[in-house]
Amino acid sequence: MSSLRHIQALFCESIFEDQSGSAVNELSRYITPRPGLSPQDHVKIYRRSVLAKLAEALSEIYPVCLKLVGEAFFSAMAHTFVRQTPSRSPDLGEYGHDFGDFIEGFEPAATLPYLPDVARLEWAWHRVYHAEAAEPLDPESLARVPADQQGRIRFHLAPSSRLLKSIYPVHRIWQVNQTEYDGDGRVDLDDGGIRLLVWRQGFDMHINPLDEGTWYVLKSCRDGNDFATVCENLEQRAPNADISAILPELVERGWISSFSL
Amino acid sequence: MSRFTEAPIGGAGIGLRTKHYQDVLSGQGAQLQEVIENRPPVAWFEVLTDNYLGTGGLPRHHLHQVRENYPLTFHGVGMSLGSTDPLDYGYLTRLKALIEDFEPAWVSDHLAWVSVGGRYLHDLIPFPYTREALDLFAQRIIEVQEFLGRRILVENPSTYLSFTNCEMSEWAFVKALVEQADCELLIDVNNIYVSAVNNGFDPLEYVRAIPAERVREIHLAGYEEMGQYLFDTHGYRVRPPVWELYRFVLDQLGPTPTLIEWDNDIPDFSVLLEEAAKAQAEIDRLEAAA
């Protein structure tokens, strides 16, 4: 290994390693001490800066989680996450997608069982915000599909949309924790679960609660099923739902933005 | 023929920050709203390219609105030019598409590395100034310039340590690099000052060694006193010793486009305009004397 590669690998390890400090101690022999600052102190400046930058990225993506647990708790939780989760992309906007899963296993947050799903909702919001806009589906091109081919159609959700389900009223939790919200801030956790679509219309962000039928149709399409299977799923899961009413609405709202055969 | 304003980059510009884009939706994105609606008299804006790598969405939409009225330059950290990893062509491809979309006057990155072993630190990490590093760095710039079809600018970072195995000074490295890689320079005056204090060298010696004909742009920002060292916070007005060094740099280089950067505790837009006006006054003084 070249000496440069060796130094870079040690540097990276020094940023994320635990208290043992074995990497930073080895790196130290390459670093010039200064009055009042040991080689380890020099590396610590970078360690703090890198970890703070990643934690800061999380606080920007997850402002509602931050508000729910307070800054000190969030910072401790975020730092635990970033020390064990390196960024794998030059795009910091792709960092932190599994923060919700992490929170679910983060013991000190166990008293807030809805927190992981709030995080997942915020991640969905973040990705939809940055996603590509889709052209609406042309109903005429759909009408041209021969009747005997219709069962094979695969409908695709708009790229600027995300489905999300929770056993907690996370939509309401999200709403009452928005900066501009000034209504009744109470949330009854017994309000029960919710199925949501986070989506963007042009440049307006939306979160829509979905009825059971709409949810199953969208979810089944998202999972890559053809239309015949989507209808079967719907029949099993929500027998009272009417696909002939649901489908045109999904197309009209732009939630389904394309199809393939 | 450009689709946008063809005004050249000159005078004092301001670093445009996107962290307020989302706030615009709730009416709190003061800086962005100011720029889009009131069109303040700013010579040009520099954008942080790494914030626009997404395929679409609101950040790009807002940037298009800004581009309608202002010249732009691009500035990033993601090339990781000093890394011993292979070049990230996924990143470069996204960057190239962004360049085609917004037609910046130029594109810059840093004399540093940000990733190794596929892990991104998103922070500018220094490296020992050796022949080995010089050859690697120059070769990577040559490949990047070939891929992008244009020269890039390389900026000196703030450093908080120096390596025992350096074979040359940072300024000797920079001088050799621009020759070997045929690239251009972005000189950050604040960073020279911060690195000089932190690593115990004479900032004037650095400035005297800068190959003036390669410099396209200057950066200014405010550092923070941390007791044992200075930290490049980008959260303050430009400090008096940096203004002083800036005058010295301008005397060496001649009138050079200068950018005000501010990333933390971003103030009212009027403060950024004041800082830019101070830089503009220094450039004007130099031009009047010429």
Side-chain angles (χ1 to χ4, degrees), chain A residues 1 4 6 39 63 75 85 116 131 143 155 160 167 169 201 205 207 209-210 212-213 228 254:
Chain A
M1 195 190 303
L4 183 56
H6 181 57
S75 172
T85 319
F155 291 104
S160 52
I167 57 168
Q201 185 174 37
M205 296 288 299
I207 302 178
L210 303 177
E212 215 180 11

Side-chain angles (χ1 to χ4, degrees), chain A residues 53-256:
Chain A
K53 209 160 269 183
L54 293 173
E56 168 74 13
L58 294 178
S59 69
E60 282 173 20
I61 296 168
Y62 298 101
V64 173
C65 290
L66 191 157
K67 200 172 170 192
L68 287 170
V69 300
E71 275 194 29
F73 189 98
F74 187 89
S75 172
M77 182 163 73
H79 272 83
T80 307
F81 175 82
V82 302
R83 274 198 304 274
Q84 64 190 57
T85 319
S87 166
R88 295 279 171 191
S89 164
D91 183 356
L92 201 46
E94 289 172 8
Y95 183 69
H97 68 95
D98 46 358
F99 193 47
D101 296 348
F102 165 82
I103 295 173
E104 199 164 296
F106 186 64
E107 188 62 35
T111 51
L112 303 177
Y114 47 85
L115 197 61
D117 281 348
V118 174
R120 290 177 184 120
L121 175 56
E122 294 200 278
W123 180 258
W125 176 280
H126 169 66
R127 293 316 292 174
V128 168
Y129 182 83
H130 288 274
E132 208 162 347
E135 293 294 314
L137 188 151
D138 171 19
E140 280 180 30
S141 68
L142 191 54
R144 282 195 295 272
V145 177
D148 62 338
Q149 300 279 306
Q150 284 170 0
R152 290 178 47 230
I153 296 176
R154 284 174 213 279
F155 291 104
H156 306 296
L157 272 58
S160 52
S161 73
R162 293 261 174 150
L163 285 167
L164 190 108
K165 185 178 153 186
S166 176
I167 57 168
Y168 300 103
V170 287
H171 184 207
R172 169 100 180 121
I173 295 172
W174 188 90
Q175 272 176 334
V176 304
N177 285 289
Q178 294 305 301
T179 321
E180 67 273 26
Y181 182 83
D182 61 356
D184 182 0
R186 281 172 302 182
V187 178
D188 188 351
L189 284 185
D190 294 331
D191 277 356
I194 193 150
R195 299 180 175 95
L196 299 172
L197 184 76
V198 183
W199 62 294
R200 221 178 67 210
Q201 185 174 37
F203 293 105
D204 295 326
M205 296 288 299
H206 299 281
I207 302 178
N208 279 50
L210 303 177
D211 61 57
E212 215 180 11
T214 306
W215 165 267
Y216 280 114
V217 172
L218 285 173
K219 182 174 177 300
S220 193
C221 291
R222 183 200 64 186
D223 293 344
N225 293 307
D226 64 20
F227 188 56
T229 314
V230 169
C231 293
E232 272 170 42
N233 284 346
L234 186 65
E235 178 66 30
Q236 285 166 8
R237 303 285 195 151
N240 295 325
D242 176 9
I243 187 68
S244 65
I246 293 172
L247 188 64
E249 201 195 334
L250 296 182
V251 172
E252 197 189 315
R253 281 175 171 268
W255 294 355
I256 281 175

